[in-house]
Amino acid sequence: MSQLITLDEFIISKQAEHPESTGELNQIFAAIKLAAKVLNREINKAGLVDVIGSSGIENVQGEQQQKLDVFANDKVKAALMARGHVAGMASEEEDSFVAFEDPYSQSGKYVVLTDPLDGSSNIDVNVSIGTIFSVYRRKSPLNSPVVLEDFLQPGNQQVAAGYVIFGSSTMLVYTTGSGVHGFTYDPSIGVFYLSHENIRIPDQGQIYSVNEGNYLKFPQGVKRYLKYCQEIVPEENRPYTSRYIGSLVADFHRNLLKGGLYMYPSYANAPNGKLRLLYECNPLAWMAEQAGGKATDGHQRILDIEPTELHQRVPYYIGSHNMVEKVESFLQEFPGGAE
Ligand code: AHM
Ligand code: MG
């Protein structure tokens, strides 16, 4: 086997290609890596200690927070605060953004947006979950508290994005705009090793991922597209295969490696779907594009959407390039909403 490369070594080697880089992003990765290790430890013993189940608290979006949601949020926040370079954070689990108060953090150039534990309904049943992160340069002046404007930036302004997936193994996958790279965690020594360099998503896949229980509430274009996926056309490898874990990170990760399309469309009563633009959609959209795929709200590029609020939701179609284009063509041809 060829020599193993650690995440740190890989980042340093990439940095050497960009001598102008100050290494601050490396510190942010160090913080995320630390949070990932702590979460990995807790998630792995979830059945043994009192971390599963609801915390009894609702988040600002009216969803029940799981104990591990709250734990993950605290760990990510603490790790980011401790390293400096990050002046504030916004999280799916916080009502508003958090401005770090100490002068060292306030001198930081960056803000981080995160879904600290995505797929939380899967925690109690031992199914893959993940942590999603997204890094931006702040807009406000250095050495002052961050402001809302620092967080309401379109996804095309991201400087780093990625996720940690806690699955059959734990992986950290990220982009800084030079491809998408994946690292697998070796828990026996606490190190992430490069396992998936420069991931490319196939232009065409055979997997579609959607909560089909919502079928009757979907827009006409999505209904027609789903019937298209199910048609028997062997020369086009249809019918496609349906795979839906219900953890965005896990569904995205599988489709990234194998090719496929993940959808969370608008539906009756939820014109913007369920997923959050800033914490979930933007980071994965940039990763999809960096891997050769595509991400849209059915009509426009996710990364070009100007956010107007922190917890904004957006319909989401992400994955293999040709599959996203196909579903968009159905949405255009059959523009009606749910009946
Ligand atoms: P969460 O961030 O509260 O866990 O919600 C997001 C999750 C995604 O991971 C997943 O794809 C989707 O919600 C599943 O929703 P549904 O149960 O409606 O299919
Ligand atoms: Mg989520």
Side-chain angles (χ1 to χ4, degrees):
M1 195 176 179
S2 57
Q3 202 199 337
L4 292 171
I5 299 172
T6 68
L7 175 58
D8 290 350
E9 288 165 353
F10 187 80
I11 289 176
I12 289 167
S13 74
K14 288 282 158 200
Q15 202 188 331
E17 294 166 17
H18 299 277
E20 72 288 357
S21 138
T22 56
E24 288 161 321
L25 267 180
N26 301 1
Q27 290 293 324
I28 299 176
F29 272 104
I32 290 163
K33 216 171 54 181
L34 175 64
K37 289 182 191 179
V38 175
L39 289 177
N40 182 67
R41 189 191 62 202
E42 292 306 306
I43 289 164
N44 273 301
K45 56 184 186 191
L48 299 175
V49 291
D50 185 27
V51 291
I52 59 178
S54 166
S55 65
I57 305 167
E58 275 191 357
N59 67 16
V60 69
Q61 298 150 86
E63 299 157 340
Q64 274 291 324
Q65 284 181 321
Q66 303 292 306
K67 282 180 202 156
L68 264 179
D69 274 333
V70 178
F71 180 85
N73 189 56
D74 291 349
K75 291 299 162 200
V76 173
K77 186 161 53 181
L80 291 173
M81 261 186 204
R83 292 278 171 166
H85 303 296
V86 176
M89 165 183 126
S91 158
E92 193 179 303
E93 303 304 339
E94 302 271 356
D95 296 358
S96 185
F97 65 87
V98 181
F100 296 163
E101 281 171 7
D102 65 289
Y104 184 43
S105 295
Q106 285 192 3
S107 68
K109 279 191 210 140
Y110 299 98
V111 293
V112 173
L113 291 91
T114 181
D115 179 353
L117 211 55
D118 176 65
S120 24
S121 63
N122 280 325
I123 294 169
D124 295 2
V125 291
N126 225 329
V127 172
S128 301
I129 47 182
T131 298
I132 310 176
F133 62 91
S134 170
V135 183
Y136 292 80
R137 259 185 213 95
R138 65 190 290 186
K139 299 260 204 207
S140 53
L142 300 183
N143 303 310
S144 65
V146 287
V147 296
L148 182 60
E149 197 200 358
D150 293 322
F151 299 92
L152 294 185
Q153 300 190 50
N156 57 31
Q157 296 300 305
Q158 291 173 103
V159 294
Y163 56 82
V164 181
I165 177 168
F166 304 98
S168 43
S169 61
T170 294
M171 279 187 72
L172 189 153
V173 187
Y174 81 91
T175 187
T176 50
S178 314
V180 178
H181 312 291
F183 299 79
T184 301
Y185 186 54
D186 180 344
S188 63
I189 48 173
V191 173
F192 283 92
Y193 284 113
L194 179 63
S195 51
H196 298 65
E197 187 170 6
N198 203 15
I199 299 171
R200 305 298 297 169
I201 183 168
D203 284 341
Q204 177 66 49
Q206 264 88 56
I207 296 172
Y208 70 95
S209 312
V210 67
N211 184 344
E212 236 162 328
N214 290 328
Y215 180 85
L216 291 178
K217 300 192 245 170
F218 283 153
Q220 294 306 317
V222 173
K223 287 184 182 171
R224 299 282 187 129
Y225 176 74
L226 288 172
K227 289 297 151 214
Y228 164 89
C229 293
Q230 293 160 1
E231 274 166 18
I232 300 172
V233 187
E235 57 280 16
E236 292 180 17
N237 291 316
R238 284 187 282 142
Y240 296 155
T241 294
S242 166
R243 290 280 183 273
Y244 189 70
I245 296 169
S247 281
L248 171 63
V249 169
D251 281 307
F252 175 78
H253 183 72
R254 181 204 52 241
N255 292 356
L256 180 69
L257 297 181
K258 293 193 166 184
L261 172 71
Y262 174 97
M263 301 179 262
Y264 211 109
S266 61
Y267 56 93
N269 312 331
N272 296 316
K274 175 183 182 187
L275 299 180
R276 274 118 318 197
L277 174 63
L278 296 177
Y279 314 120
E280 293 164 324
C281 301
N282 272 335
L284 302 190
W286 194 30
M287 296 176 81
E289 288 195 7
Q290 280 291 314
K294 194 168 171 171
T296 77
D297 67 356
H299 306 282
Q300 69 162 323
R301 186 179 179 226
I302 290 291
L303 296 179
D304 290 338
I305 297 174
E306 290 286 342
T308 53
E309 49 185 287
L310 275 180
H311 298 296
Q312 186 168 339
R313 295 173 197 262
V314 69
Y316 202 38
Y317 303 85
I318 183 167
S320 290
H321 191 273
N322 297 350
M323 296 179 84
V324 175
E325 295 214 322
K326 193 73 182 175
V327 71
E328 281 184 316
S329 74
F330 274 87
L331 285 163
Q332 217 160 28
E333 194 177 343
F334 306 102
E339 274 161 357

